[in-house]
Amino acid sequence: GQYTGARLLSKLRSDDLFLIDVDPARIQMTIDQEDPALTGNAFLHVGSVAGGDWDLGGMPVVEHGHVAQILWAYVVEKQSLSSIPQYQSNLHRIEQGDLIDSCTTAAEYEARWRQIAALYTTMKKEGYKTQVELGSDNPLDEIRVQIGRRGEFLFEEGLHRLVIAQVLELPAVPVLVTRRHADWAALRDAVLRIVLQRGFIHQPFNHPDLDSLPLHYGNELADKALYGHERWHYIEQNLPLESGSVLDIGAYFGYFDHRLEQLGFDCFAVEPDRENLAVLYLYRTMQKRQFTVWPNSIFDIDRHDFDVVLALNIFHHLVRTQDEYELLVTFLQRLSCRGLFFEPDDNAGIEAFRHFDEPEFVAFVMATAGLQKV
């Protein structure tokens, strides 16, 4: 009741119960409708974490209550309610004594669908608005979802708004995450620890529950949470071949390895940082990727022949001392590749054995690695 609402509002201001923006098309499955966590007060499990198989028993959102089929026929195809088979099926169940959409009579059910059609029209004209924007006295009454073991969004509450958003193909809607699977929570906690320590993350995950963390807990560099997509688009458009081996130097969380593996490349991710590695391993396992992780320095690897090499904003860290510089020279001299994607940094302000501006750094890498074209 009101006490629970007040308690959750307090948590909402101090904990991680903020709304996150999610593409409604990503919410494909529901939670298990028989899940005991749904009994009693609807908000008691908000912010909870649980292991087990509770995330596996749902159904497709499009099948839930026939809402998607009725909505499409009624508001898009302009069919009368009486001509829609799914509507008539639900009406028959109401006449048999079932409670459908909180309706107990045919008149209530028809009125309910007229309300839904009006909401569709409003959202089409004005877009999606949060409860706060609507001036509601219940700011938690948003679309609610849970997150399964692999990061999948599972619908819990707010079906009509979700389906309308899907039909309208809205790019994003705000959702409240009420529960997370323990496997996903472990990954999220590992990312959050890094954000709290460093203030940002260098690469996105393409997952709102992770990518939103720096925006709420980060520092003035939190905008780096969005850093990565533009680099990927450039790389994808300029790959020298359609498959082959990739060396990702300083792989961080493996953003590029996930995407390149999806294209059919055999990836080798080099990442020596222990905290980065923890996230890298968790996310690789969760997404069932096959790329190889080398948890050490590039100076310690034995293989030097790859089709593609990624050296993105990393080599300036390897020229700080004379020993590191000489090891980098040796590595580049041994390296054999079809193409190298190099993101330089002028390492200005960094105490280093060798200082390069960006053109000098490019020329150094080309000459040392024996590359002919830039």
Side-chain angles (χ1 to χ4, degrees):
Q2 293 181 342
Y3 168 77
T4 302
R7 180 176 63 85
L8 286 170
L9 278 175
S10 175
K11 282 189 69 178
L12 188 64
R13 296 188 182 97
S14 60
D15 202 0
D16 61 359
L17 299 181
F18 45 79
L19 300 177
I20 61 175
D21 290 331
V22 176
D23 180 348
R26 292 182 68 160
I27 308 174
Q28 292 292 316
M29 300 294 291
T30 75
I31 57 173
D32 185 347
Q33 299 304 295
E34 304 300 322
D35 193 316
L38 302 181
T39 60
N41 191 301
F43 291 108
L44 286 179
H45 64 291
V46 170
S48 64
V49 172
D53 294 336
W54 57 264
D55 57 331
L56 303 178
M59 69 173 74
V61 169
V62 295
E63 297 177 8
H64 190 22
H66 302 310
V67 169
Q69 295 95 327
I70 298 173
L71 180 74
W72 184 268
Y74 187 36
V75 303
V76 178
E77 298 179 345
K78 306 299 183 183
Q79 296 183 32
S80 65
L81 289 172
S82 60
S83 67
I84 302 172
Q86 293 88 350
Y87 178 87
Q88 292 300 316
S89 174
N90 283 351
L91 201 59
H92 177 70
R93 289 180 56 192
I94 290 174
E95 292 169 350
Q96 298 298 312
D98 287 349
L99 184 68
I100 303 292
D101 212 356
S102 301
C103 298
T104 59
T105 67
E108 288 179 355
Y109 194 49
E110 180 179 353
R112 180 68 175 126
W113 267 101
R114 298 199 186 283
Q115 289 178 338
I116 296 167
L119 177 60
Y120 172 88
T121 300
T122 299
M123 285 178 58
K124 186 175 183 179
K125 290 181 179 178
E126 302 177 10
Y128 192 97
K129 293 186 177 181
T130 66
Q131 295 300 300
V132 170
E133 290 170 332
L134 292 171
S136 168
D137 58 0
N138 188 0
L140 296 179
D141 188 24
E142 299 290 352
I143 295 174
R144 299 199 292 274
V145 300
Q146 301 185 21
I147 300 182
R149 65 193 66 199
R150 297 181 62 194
E152 60 275 27
F153 290 102
L154 306 173
F155 165 77
E156 177 183 320
E157 188 60 52
L159 181 62
H160 302 119
R161 285 169 288 175
L162 172 61
V163 172
I164 290 172
Q166 290 176 338
V167 170
L168 291 174
E169 297 183 344
L170 298 183
V173 293
V175 305
L176 178 66
V177 178
T178 60
R179 179 170 59 166
R180 294 175 176 88
H181 193 281
D183 291 353
W184 178 257
L187 172 65
R188 187 175 184 272
D189 288 345
V191 176
L192 179 57
R193 283 194 294 272
I194 290 174
V195 170
L196 291 174
Q197 290 172 7
R198 306 175 192 174
F200 61 93
I201 55 179
H202 283 299
Q203 296 174 357
F205 289 88
N206 298 320
H207 197 291
D209 197 40
L210 303 178
D211 291 337
S212 62
L213 290 174
L215 306 180
H216 294 275
Y217 295 106
N219 58 22
E220 70 278 3
L221 299 176
D223 61 329
K224 284 193 176 182
L226 305 178
Y227 185 40
H229 294 299
E230 69 279 13
R231 296 190 296 178
W232 167 249
H233 294 315
Y234 181 86
I235 290 170
E236 184 182 26
Q237 293 166 8
N238 292 279
L239 287 166
L241 65 176
E242 295 183 357
S243 64
S245 59
V246 176
L247 175 67
D248 184 7
I249 303 173
Y252 200 56
F253 301 149
Y255 170 91
F256 296 101
D257 305 284
H258 284 271
R259 303 202 74 155
L260 285 163
E261 182 174 314
Q262 286 181 295
L263 293 182
F265 286 85
D266 186 19
C267 299
F268 298 82
V270 178
E271 178 52 60
D273 184 272
R274 290 187 179 182
E275 291 179 322
N276 294 346
L277 274 171
V279 174
L280 179 62
Y281 281 127
L282 279 171
Y283 201 47
R284 182 187 63 165
T285 300
M286 191 169 293
Q287 298 300 313
K288 298 184 177 179
R289 303 294 185 210
Q290 302 299 314
F291 63 82
T292 300
V293 176
W294 285 334
N296 45 28
S297 165
I298 59 167
F299 303 142
D300 297 324
I301 65 176
D302 296 326
R303 176 175 170 178
H304 295 87
D305 59 312
F306 301 90
D307 294 303
V308 177
V309 175
L310 305 184
L312 306 178
N313 201 24
I314 187 69
F315 280 171
H316 65 285
H317 293 296
L318 307 180
V319 295
R320 296 188 179 185
T321 68
Q322 181 174 353
D323 287 344
E324 288 177 316
Y325 169 75
E326 291 174 354
L327 287 170
L328 178 60
V329 169
T330 300
F331 171 81
L332 289 172
Q333 289 173 339
R334 293 176 178 175
L335 187 64
S336 173
C337 63
R338 294 275 299 276
L340 186 150
F341 291 93
F342 175 53
E343 180 182 13
D345 188 296
D346 63 12
N347 64 351
I350 297 176
E351 186 174 343
F353 172 72
R354 280 293 305 270
H355 281 284
F356 297 101
D357 62 23
E358 291 187 351
E360 289 173 341
F361 221 154
V362 172
F364 161 75
V365 171
M366 285 190 67
T368 311
L371 299 171
Q372 303 302 315
K373 179 181 178 183
V374 62

